[in-house]
Amino acid sequence: MGEFTDEEASRLEGHFSNTTGDIFVITTPNQVDRGALMSRYSRSSKSMRRVFLDEFLNNPDRGKKFYERVLMEYGDDSVAELGMAQVAMEGLSNIAAQKIEDRRIGLSFLEKSSRYVSWGAKSGGRYVYYRGPDIMESRHEKIYEDACDLSFDTYVYSLPLVKAYITEAYPIDDFPFRDSSSFADKPFSELTAEVDIKSAERAYRNATNSMALDLLRGLLPASTLTNLGVAGNGRAFEYLISTLKSSRLYEERDLGDRLALELKSTMGPFIRRASEKYGKLLEEYLTELRHASGVLRSAVAPAAENRVRLVSYDTQRDALDTVVAGLLYENSDYTFEDLRRVVSERMSDQQKRDTVQTFADLRKNRRQRPPRAFELVSYVFDMVNNFGMFRDMHRHRVLTLQRQLLDTKHGFDVSPELEEAGCSRDFAECVKRSGEAYEQMAKTDATMAQYVVNFAYRYQYMMRVNLRELCHLVELRTLPQGHQDYRDAARRMYEQVCDIHPILSQIMKFVDTGIYRMGRIGPEKRTMSKILEAGESPGAAEPVTKKDPSGAE
């Protein structure tokens, strides 16, 4: 006989994925009950489903009261991690989005892309950028709106010009496409099957569109409104709310209030402290931290070029001994201290090199992460890159990243391809106008002035990253389809680590330092192949027109 009677099993339906197995999913609809049940279960001799029948099923307030007692009376933060939520945050600026994404632990993010989605659409006859009362009711309203409108006007005006340049500079016939009858790659002009032609046109269209958006995203101001999906646990959301409510910016404080209000209906007990005594104390503490750091102005002129500089690292010998000891530790009887001494004193350089190479050889693709021993060595980089690129690097969370206010003093980037497309002058004039608006606004409030700064402006931050995470970062960010800005930055990080740690850097096997004419075309072709293999239609695509030398189509 099973643990439950037929009647009990029937009552458990809808609350657990099964009533007989040792592994089951908690499906009871009440979020608070799911978390409270897990916490209560850890201190009971009963099975979880029995605890639910005995204590929760007929007591609708059981979970809520449990959390109020544990969190408020005992401050047991770990139980707040048992509640989960998926939240959509729409229409927030890129300044606020980065503030939220600063939270590295307990939250995961998905943000609207600036690489695959055009941002030139209007809503109610106006471009979609931040228009909060802190700016629109200030004396900077006109200069701010004029600068932001010019940024979007230039973006919209330039987009078809850049697309036309790309199709001429990178014609579709320059790229091979799969022929479904011969399974061989052929030039576009030699494709005969309609499905192959449509597939090739769609892949090419997607790749050229992505490239155009890549080249122009530097025009977008930080005020651009984006959408952000956030998944996380109650403890992380509670801290996020307090962080937002302690901000100097009206938008972020308002987001904190509204986030707390929405989460209250689904996971109220998990985030309740953010609005009570402990939350208020945390807000005060975060504000005091900001004030205590002060503002130090450098007497040295700031960097006026892109910078990726390795500024702190271990010697090659110390780093190698530490990692090799870590690689051998789990299958040894030594303490780590003793094992590291053995490695240092008894192993030859060749033996250490062979040990690292053995583990490097085991990796067959970039998704096979190196062993944790490579986390024992870290590097600090000084970074000055455009803000658009920073947003991509900011998504890496297993590292320490500290950043400054967004400003204009480091200059801005203009892609050489925009000059070839005939758009660089308009681009530069637009960005300079934003810089002038920033200077005026910063005299009153440098924090608020960040909103008007374009993605093209260079941004200063520092990054401390261990070798295992660096391996993931540079292998991901040098993929051919990546934005060229972060491909270059990742390549420079990789090369500097190779210079100082030539043996350990062997673990980074899948770094791609190649130069590609249109890196996005490969993934787009693979996507089309998968669509066709699944028996689906490649979908409609505008025919790719070719221009003769006279300019006639």
Side-chain angles (χ1 to χ4, degrees):
M1 182 178 177
E3 180 182 0
F4 307 108
T5 66
D6 290 344
E7 180 185 353
E8 288 175 329
S10 177
R11 296 172 70 192
L12 288 171
E13 289 182 4
H15 301 285
F16 300 92
S17 60
N18 71 72
T19 61
T20 57
D22 293 333
I23 298 176
F24 49 89
V25 179
I26 307 170
T27 59
T28 189
N30 192 317
Q31 165 78 261
V32 174
D33 281 352
R34 290 200 295 270
L37 183 60
M38 290 179 67
S39 185
R40 174 70 183 91
Y41 168 63
S42 69
R43 299 189 180 186
S44 173
S45 60
K46 302 176 184 178
S47 71
M48 179 178 287
R49 288 170 296 205
R50 176 57 63 188
V51 170
F52 180 79
L53 285 171
D54 292 349
E55 302 179 21
F56 284 78
L57 184 60
N58 296 317
N59 187 352
D61 293 327
R62 179 70 171 85
K64 179 181 177 181
K65 290 180 179 178
F66 172 85
Y67 273 110
E68 288 176 351
R69 179 172 59 85
V70 173
L71 287 174
M72 298 305 295
E73 295 181 19
Y74 302 107
D76 190 347
D77 289 338
S78 62
V79 300
E81 296 178 7
L82 301 178
M84 304 293 294
Q86 294 79 37
V87 179
M89 305 181 73
E90 299 182 350
L92 67 161
S93 75
N94 272 264
I95 294 297
Q98 300 314 304
K99 180 75 168 184
I100 292 169
E101 292 184 40
D102 278 337
R103 312 275 70 78
R104 299 177 299 126
I105 306 298
L107 299 174
S108 296
F109 311 99
L110 280 177
E111 184 183 348
K112 179 180 176 181
S113 174
S114 62
R115 300 193 61 208
Y116 307 114
V117 180
S118 174
W119 293 66
K122 292 184 177 182
S123 176
R126 303 194 303 180
Y127 291 119
V128 286
Y129 57 83
Y130 176 70
R131 289 184 173 87
D134 51 337
I135 297 179
M136 304 310 288
E137 296 176 8
S138 75
R139 63 187 179 89
H140 301 299
E141 174 189 4
K142 187 176 188 315
I143 191 174
Y144 173 76
E145 278 198 305
D146 287 348
C148 290
D149 283 344
L150 178 61
S151 294
F152 281 99
D153 282 341
T154 308
Y155 180 90
V156 171
Y157 169 77
S158 302
L159 190 55
L161 300 178
V162 173
K163 286 183 178 180
Y165 156 75
I166 292 171
T167 56
E168 290 186 15
Y170 306 91
I172 193 170
D173 271 328
D174 283 3
F175 303 96
F177 296 91
R178 181 58 55 93
D179 177 74
S180 57
S181 60
S182 65
F183 298 102
D185 286 344
K186 294 182 178 181
F188 176 75
S189 59
E190 295 181 16
L191 298 178
T192 56
E194 182 179 0
V195 67
D196 292 338
I197 293 172
K198 286 185 176 180
S199 175
E201 287 179 337
R202 182 173 172 184
Y204 177 76
R205 186 73 61 186
N206 289 347
T208 55
N209 186 64
S210 175
M211 185 174 181
L213 296 176
D214 273 355
L215 292 173
L216 290 174
R217 76 170 180 177
L219 287 168
L220 298 173
S223 60
T224 303
L225 298 186
T226 186
N227 298 331
L228 188 64
V230 186
N233 64 60
R235 185 179 186 180
F237 274 117
E238 182 181 68
Y239 190 82
L240 173 60
I241 290 167
S242 294
T243 301
L244 291 172
K245 291 172 71 172
S246 69
S247 172
R248 286 180 287 189
L249 291 174
Y250 169 85
E251 179 193 17
E252 292 174 0
R253 295 193 302 272
D254 180 60
L255 283 170
D257 288 336
R258 290 191 287 137
L259 177 61
L261 182 63
E262 290 302 316
L263 287 174
K264 183 178 180 180
S265 63
T266 57
M267 57 187 312
F270 297 101
I271 52 95
R272 178 179 169 183
R273 292 183 305 175
S275 302
E276 298 186 350
K277 181 180 71 172
Y278 292 106
K280 300 299 181 184
L281 289 173
L282 179 56
E283 288 177 38
E284 293 174 7
Y285 172 68
L286 294 173
T287 301
E288 290 168 357
L289 282 181
R290 186 172 64 242
H291 292 161
S293 65
V295 179
L296 295 177
R297 296 295 182 185
S298 173
V300 180
E305 74 285 333
N306 276 301
R307 174 182 292 173
V308 178
R309 182 174 297 171
L310 179 58
V311 296
S312 179
Y313 50 89
D314 294 331
T315 65
Q316 178 176 221
R317 183 177 184 84
D318 285 347
L320 184 59
D321 288 350
T322 297
V323 171
V324 171
L327 290 170
L328 302 177
Y329 178 79
E330 291 186 5
N331 291 308
S332 78
D333 295 323
Y334 289 97
T335 64
F336 183 76
E337 180 183 20
D338 290 341
L339 182 56
R340 192 183 184 285
R341 184 168 55 250
V342 169
V343 169
S344 177
E345 296 175 356
R346 300 183 190 176
M347 289 184 71
S348 68
D349 289 344
Q350 187 59 48
Q351 287 175 314
K352 297 173 190 177
R353 184 189 300 271
D354 290 345
T355 300
V356 173
Q357 189 62 55
T358 295
F359 284 90
D361 289 343
L362 293 174
R363 298 187 67 217
K364 305 306 180 187
N365 60 66
R366 69 176 182 85
R367 290 181 173 82
Q368 295 178 346
R369 302 290 298 274
R372 288 198 177 275
F374 289 90
E375 295 179 0
L376 297 172
V377 172
S378 296
Y379 310 89
V380 177
F381 291 90
D382 256 337
M383 311 285 283
V384 181
N385 318 117
N386 66 68
F387 184 66
M389 196 212 84
F390 163 79
R391 293 165 64 256
D392 297 309
M393 301 295 271
H394 192 207
R395 297 190 177 103
H396 292 270
R397 295 194 294 277
V398 188
L399 47 78
T400 298
L401 188 151
Q402 290 185 272
R403 59 195 186 94
Q404 301 173 352
L405 288 179
L406 177 61
D407 56 34
T408 60
K409 64 175 175 285
H410 300 286
F412 58 87
D413 293 337
V414 183
S415 169
E417 288 166 304
L418 289 179
E419 184 170 352
E420 297 175 20
C423 297
S424 61
R425 182 174 179 178
D426 289 340
F427 186 104
E429 289 180 356
C430 169
V431 174
K432 288 177 182 177
R433 283 276 299 277
S434 296
E436 293 168 1
Y438 169 83
E439 292 298 330
Q440 291 297 315
M441 295 176 67
K443 292 176 182 178
T444 303
D445 188 338
T447 304
M448 184 177 68
Q450 294 178 104
Y451 284 109
V452 80
V453 180
N454 303 95
F455 285 12
Y457 274 102
R458 299 178 190 128
Y459 186 47
Q460 185 162 274
Y461 57 103
M462 60 80 67
M463 181 187 297
R464 184 179 188 273
V465 57
N466 67 59
L467 181 52
R468 186 171 187 252
E469 177 63 12
L470 182 66
C471 179
H472 166 67
L473 187 155
V474 299
E475 290 181 348
L476 174 66
R477 295 302 178 185
T478 57
L479 288 172
Q481 63 265 36
H483 195 293
Q484 193 57 46
D485 288 346
Y486 64 63
R487 290 193 75 238
D488 288 342
R491 174 185 55 79
R492 292 162 70 184
M493 296 173 79
Y494 168 69
E495 290 173 349
Q496 291 177 67
V497 171
C498 287
D499 287 342
I500 56 125
H501 291 161
I503 298 174
L504 289 177
S505 60
Q506 295 173 25
I507 198 65
M508 297 185 282
K509 291 177 59 178
F510 303 102
V511 180
D512 190 337
T513 58
I515 299 175
Y516 300 91
R517 297 189 66 228
M518 190 189 293
R520 188 68 215 169
I521 191 72
E524 292 294 345
K525 290 193 294 183
R526 289 192 291 273
T527 298
M528 289 300 104
S529 295
K530 291 177 182 178
I531 289 175
L532 295 177
E533 289 172 5
E536 300 177 13
S537 168
E542 299 175 30
V544 178
T545 56
K546 303 178 184 178
K547 294 185 178 181
D548 65 26
S550 68
E553 293 188 357

